[in-house]
Amino acid sequence: MTTLISYANYQLRINDFLATKLKELPINDPTLIEAMRYGLLIGGKRMRPYLAYITGEAVSADLNDIDAVAGALECIHAYSLLHDDLPAMDDDDLRRGKPTCHKAFDEATAILAGDALQTLAFDILANHTFSSNQTISNMPIQVKLIQQLVRASGYQGMCGGQALDLAATGKNISLCELEVLHSLKTGALLEASVLMPAMCSGHVTSEHEKILSEYAQLIGLAYQVQDDIIDLTSTEEELGKPVGSDIAANKSTYPALLGLQGAQDKAENLLQQALQALSRLPYNTQSLADFATFIVRRSH
Amino acid sequence: MTTLISYANYQLRINDFLATKLKELPINDPTLIEAMRYGLLIGGKRMRPYLAYITGEAVSADLNDIDAVAGALECIHAYSLLHDDLPAMDDDDLRRGKPTCHKAFDEATAILAGDALQTLAFDILANHTFSSNQTISNMPIQVKLIQQLVRASGYQGMCGGQALDLAATGKNISLCELEVLHSLKTGALLEASVLMPAMCSGHVTSEHEKILSEYAQLIGLAYQVQDDIIDLTSTEEELGKPVGSDIAANKSTYPALLGLQGAQDKAENLLQQALQALSRLPYNTQSLADFATFIVRRSH
């Protein structure tokens, strides 16, 4: 219950922050800004922002700094959804129960809105006044944060993962290949969602950063396994998109590779590993533990 | 002649720099990295890098710092071409006489390669060791450079300009609207190509920065006017794409609004204004003057 309240509060907080960022932009092109707003503010679980906020809480970072981190992460996530949904990629008509951006607007606008949202992520980090005006290894905090976001979102992270995903479509790939794919496509940005707040705190040791990374990668994988399970076992109403769309799209999934029970066991096992990782941290990690549990136990 | 040698030398220099950046990336997805290389290294006039280098020379910036600036600018330019050429946007099959990226690979790969090239631009700036380890108004140089690149390339710059361009296609727009469009779509990144080197120099006054901006906006506009003229008056072989493609695509052009002679007069007038702006700077601006002349006098 506490988790739900905290989750809802942080969802409101990040939505306010992002809405303000968009309002600050001049209206040069009303359609483009509207499409950016559609992609960024219509729905979304705000998992990455929430993870950033509760990590920030755990490591005693200034939450005003986490606003910028969470905002940048969500811009990257939102841009990736706009582009992944395009006809040339996953060709999805629905996202969160609503028409995808290229359906609500058009393809060109969805591509451009995605492009501009990626830029906005770096805009937010580069133009935020961080209360912790610190340097890490002689490097200003903003540069360190941008380095981390670049690694997580670009060729070496999310973009590379999406390319592997497209290349794997219609092929049989091994469990190991599927894990590499998801570790780049989803894991890298979740990892950034804990590492960037750790940087903002300024006193997280590299050993503890490693544990936070491990936790993030584990819940990233658990999220994906559970997503594959939900894609098979939910109703269209719960999903906001057709059931079994992964299989219809010839994507490799955990249930396909391990069976439904095997996938459920795997999700549970990943959860236990994530909780075990947290137990090695000297912080109050209750919210992080609750979040891991929520990810694996959610039904949609 | 000196200009041509200098141009060719800097083209080699930036190509080497960018090739090295791509080589440093791990090969997770061979197709994606190949498409990035295709978009970034196959041809291209390297106008923005050249402008950055000669501005850097004029204001005595360290040219190793300009490598990063020029590299980031070219990554942004290259990503914009990959996306602008897509079927949903300008639908071009040829670029620089070769198949466009989505023709040589596929649409999904061209979208992703563009996305990853945008990230690479910020990667290059955030991970470069600047010799001038200076701060500007208490802000580290890297953050200032990223702020500038964001403004020039995102919603408030290039992306916004491309959206206006798409919105204007098939419509009659005024000369004033056409200038706003180009000032965002092309001018903003050219302006960054002079302002970022000025930041690296560390001793360019804000008054001189304004003059450099003015120069860049003038040659940006002149470039576009000349481009429209060339699109009408060249052969397909010279252009590397079909003649009259702007008109075929129902784009507003300067010759359409002003007539061919009017457009030629305008280009010449912009050149004279640009040269006049340079004369107010206390630097050796011969290369910048030659470049402005080259832009207006080029025939392809």
Side-chain angles (χ1 to χ4, degrees), chain A residues 66 217 265 298:
Chain A
I66 307 300
Q217 283 285 354
D265 291 347
R298 79 205 153 95

Side-chain angles (χ1 to χ4, degrees), chain B residues 3 59 92 109-110 120 125 127 144 168 173 184 239 244 264 272:
Chain B
T3 307
V59 300
D92 282 318
T109 305
L120 185 58
L125 288 179
N127 285 296
K144 292 295 286 183
I173 64 169
L184 293 174
L239 276 183
Q264 281 164 339
Q272 293 311 321

Side-chain angles (χ1 to χ4, degrees), chain A residues 88-145:
Chain A
M89 299 255 224
D90 295 346
D91 195 14
D92 282 317
D93 293 349
L94 287 175
R95 159 80 58 189
R96 300 159 184 164
K98 299 205 171 65
T100 44
C101 189
H102 64 275
K103 285 283 167 189
F105 296 81
D106 56 47
E107 274 187 61
T109 305
I111 295 168
L112 277 177
D115 290 343
L117 284 174
Q118 176 173 184
T119 324
L120 186 59
F122 295 105
D123 186 348
I124 288 173
L125 288 178
N127 285 297
H128 189 80
T129 307
F130 283 83
S131 59
S132 51
N133 194 10
Q134 47 162 343
T135 58
I136 304 170
S137 326
N138 271 331
M139 193 68 82
I141 175 88
Q142 279 163 297
V143 177
K144 292 294 286 182
L145 291 171

Side-chain angles (χ1 to χ4, degrees), chain A residues 26 28 83 115 118-119 126 147 155, chain B residues 26 83 115 118-119 126 147 155:
Chain A
N28 295 325
H83 285 186
D115 290 343
Q118 176 173 184
T119 324
Q147 287 176 347
Y155 171 78
Chain B
H83 285 186
D115 290 343
Q118 176 173 184
T119 324
Q147 287 176 347
Y155 171 78

Side-chain angles (χ1 to χ4, degrees), chain A residues 24-30 32-33 36 79 83-84 86 88-89 107-109 111-112 114-116 118-120 122-123 125-128 133 138-140 142-143 146-147 149-151 153-160 162-167 184, chain B residues 24-30 32-33 36 79 83-84 86 88-89 107-109 111-112 114-116 118-120 122-123 125-128 133 138-140 142-143 146-147 149-151 153-160 162-167 184:
Chain A
E24 284 168 7
L25 295 174
I27 300 186
N28 295 325
D29 187 274
L32 181 57
I33 194 87
M36 289 168 73
Y79 114 67
H83 285 186
D84 288 2
L86 287 166
M89 299 255 224
E107 274 187 61
T109 305
I111 295 168
L112 277 177
D115 290 343
Q118 176 173 184
T119 324
L120 186 59
F122 295 105
D123 186 348
L125 288 178
N127 285 297
H128 189 80
N133 194 10
N138 271 331
M139 193 68 82
Q142 279 163 297
V143 177
I146 291 170
Q147 287 176 347
L149 191 63
V150 155
R151 201 159 40 239
S153 65
Y155 171 78
Q156 297 185 68
M158 189 189 72
C159 260
Q162 174 67 2
L164 291 177
D165 196 9
L166 289 172
L184 293 174
Chain B
E24 283 168 7
L25 294 174
I27 300 184
N28 294 325
D29 186 275
L32 180 57
I33 193 89
M36 289 167 72
Y79 114 67
H83 285 186
D84 289 1
L86 286 166
M89 299 253 226
E107 274 188 59
T109 305
I111 295 168
L112 278 176
D115 290 343
Q118 176 173 184
T119 324
L120 185 58
F122 295 106
D123 185 347
L125 288 179
N127 285 296
H128 189 80
N133 194 11
N138 270 332
M139 193 68 82
Q142 279 163 298
V143 177
I146 292 170
Q147 287 176 347
L149 191 63
V150 155
R151 201 159 38 241
S153 65
Y155 171 78
Q156 298 186 67
M158 189 189 71
C159 258
Q162 174 67 2
L164 291 178
D165 197 9
L166 288 171
L184 293 174

Side-chain angles (χ1 to χ4, degrees), chain A residues 30 47 101 103 108 113 122 224 242 257 291:
Chain A
M47 265 182 51
C101 189
K103 285 283 167 189
F122 295 105
Q224 198 53 54
L257 285 168
F291 185 59

Side-chain angles (χ1 to χ4, degrees), chain A residues 195 205-215 280:
Chain A
L195 288 181
T205 64
S206 62
E207 190 197 341
H208 293 155
E209 278 187 352
K210 269 188 204 138
I211 298 174
L212 281 168
S213 280
E214 197 185 320
Y215 159 83
R280 281 146 50 209

